[in-house]
């Protein structure tokens, strides 16, 4: 599969988002393991997760544990797989998402993620979300810098960050920011400035909910008819066209579509090799 880069690490141009396998509507463990194995079979070498991808209060890190189990039980070589996790979000178990990006919480959360993933150093650790409850952004990112210095994590990223926060993070990390993960899809393009900034800075941009999110992904072709028409012309899905369109936006873009079924990640992975013509890309851009 075509590759992209996160820092000095080469990864597949399409990653796997783990969230649908651990939150509301999740499948059973067997289907999740089959989904992750299907991703690996398809050549996916980037898996995105977070300690907050769980449902009940007593199962923090459900998704990290699933991924560790899937990698451990995979028959092939997984040494080139980059697991990207996050800290700073919490799920108390009532369906809500809360935030604690205090340095103390992030340090403890990272230790727990290390244990669940069964590694000495996390490949990519991302600050999940800025904490607006009074924790200065510099302090949250400072904690991530400390984790890098201590060797607890190999690479550092931020998520849900504005252009100013991306610049701040790069400064606090002393030039070691390798990725930004923001929401980006045909339905949600307000992170265009962050995408452009990452392109300028040579930092990986990982669009989250690239297909519009778990509950909307299936409607992509009916909501955006130009994407369906281009898909029909190639004999592929509108979701595949969407991912290929994103990849064409910049070499720093590495989408992380979520999946809870082998078929969907197999289909998404094929987007890495789907070439869209300049006229098609123009048509898709003009339709939004
Ligand atoms: N940083 C953040 O704050 C943040 C927030 C949200 C998400 N994320 C990350 O971003 C990842 C992706 O976002 P998301 O899962 O919310 O939404 P998404 O990727 O837009 O949509 C996920 C849904 O798309 C379906 N799908 C995937 N590939 C498909 C294909 N080729 N054809 C048809 N349907 C397809 C899947 O269906 P099936 O379930 O049936 O396989 C899945 O449930 C998450 O998994 C998570 O890792 C990060």
């Amino acid at each position: 599969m075509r590759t992209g880069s996160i820092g000095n690490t080469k990864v597949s141009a399409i990653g796997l988002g783990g969230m649908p396998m651990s939150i509301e509507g999740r499948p059973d463990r067997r289907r999740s393991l089959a989904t992750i194995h299907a991703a690996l079979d398809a050549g996916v070498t980037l898996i995105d997760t977070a300690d907050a991808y769980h449902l009940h209060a007593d199962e923090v890190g459900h998704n990290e544990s699933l991924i560790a189990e899937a990698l451990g039980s995979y028959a092939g070589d997984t040494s080139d797989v980059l697991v990207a996790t996050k800290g700073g979000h919490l799920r108390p178990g009532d369906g809500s998402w809360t935030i604690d990006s205090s340095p103390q919480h992030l340090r403890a959360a990272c230790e727990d993620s290390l244990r669940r993933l069964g590694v000495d150093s996390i490949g990519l650790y991302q600050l999940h979300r800025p904490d607006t409850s009074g924790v200065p952004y510099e302090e949250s990112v400072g904690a991530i810098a400390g984790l890098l210095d201590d060797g607890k994590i190999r690479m550092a990223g931020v998520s849900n960050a504005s252009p100013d926060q991306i610049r701040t993070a790069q400064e606090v990390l002393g030039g070691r920011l390798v990725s930004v993960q923001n929401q980006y899809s045909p339905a949600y393009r307000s992170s265009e400035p962050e995408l452009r900034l990452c392109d300028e800075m040579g930092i990986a941009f990982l669009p989250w909910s690239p297909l519009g999110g778990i509950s909307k992904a299936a409607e992509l072709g009916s909501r955006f008819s130009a994407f369906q028409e281009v898909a029909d012309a190639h004999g592929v899905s509108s979701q595949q066209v969407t991912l290929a369109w994103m990849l064409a936006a910049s070499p720093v873009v590495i989408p992380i579509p979520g999946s809870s079924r082998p078929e969907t990640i197999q289909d998404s992975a094929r987007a890495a090799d789907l070439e869209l013509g300049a006229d098609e890309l123009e048509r898709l851009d003009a339709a939004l």
Side-chain angles (χ1 to χ4, degrees), residues 16-21 23 31 35 48-50 53 63 86 89 97 126-129 159-160 181-183 185 207-218 237 239-240 243 256-269:
L16 167 67
M19 192 171 79
M21 292 180 276
I23 67 163
R31 196 174 101 192
T35 302
D48 182 72
T49 181
Y53 295 165
N63 198 247
K86 316 180 196 79
H89 247 318
W97 297 76
Q126 305 157 98
L127 175 61
H128 207 147
R129 199 173 272 279
S159 180
N160 299 299
Q181 182 178 142
N182 275 15
Q183 185 173 16
S185 66
W208 67 252
S209 291
L211 304 175
I214 296 173
S215 60
K216 295 267 175 20
S237 68
Q239 290 82 4
Q240 212 179 110
L243 298 169
I256 47 167
S259 262
S260 68
R261 289 181 293 132
E263 307 83 87
T264 49
I265 186 59
Q266 283 158 351
D267 185 68
S268 295

Side-chain angles (χ1 to χ4, degrees), residues 142-198:
I144 306 282
L147 295 172
L148 267 179
D149 295 339
D150 295 346
K152 301 277 183 192
I153 65 175
R154 279 202 296 113
M155 296 191 287
V158 293
S159 180
N160 299 299
S162 68
D164 280 349
Q165 287 166 335
I166 294 170
R167 290 189 195 92
T168 299
Q170 183 62 305
E171 203 179 307
V172 172
L173 286 162
R176 296 178 291 174
L177 178 70
V178 299
S179 66
V180 172
Q181 182 178 142
N182 275 15
Q183 185 173 16
Y184 188 72
S185 66
Y188 192 96
R189 295 185 315 285
S190 63
S191 276
E192 194 80 44
E194 288 86 2
L195 192 166
R196 288 294 139 224
L197 182 61
C198 286

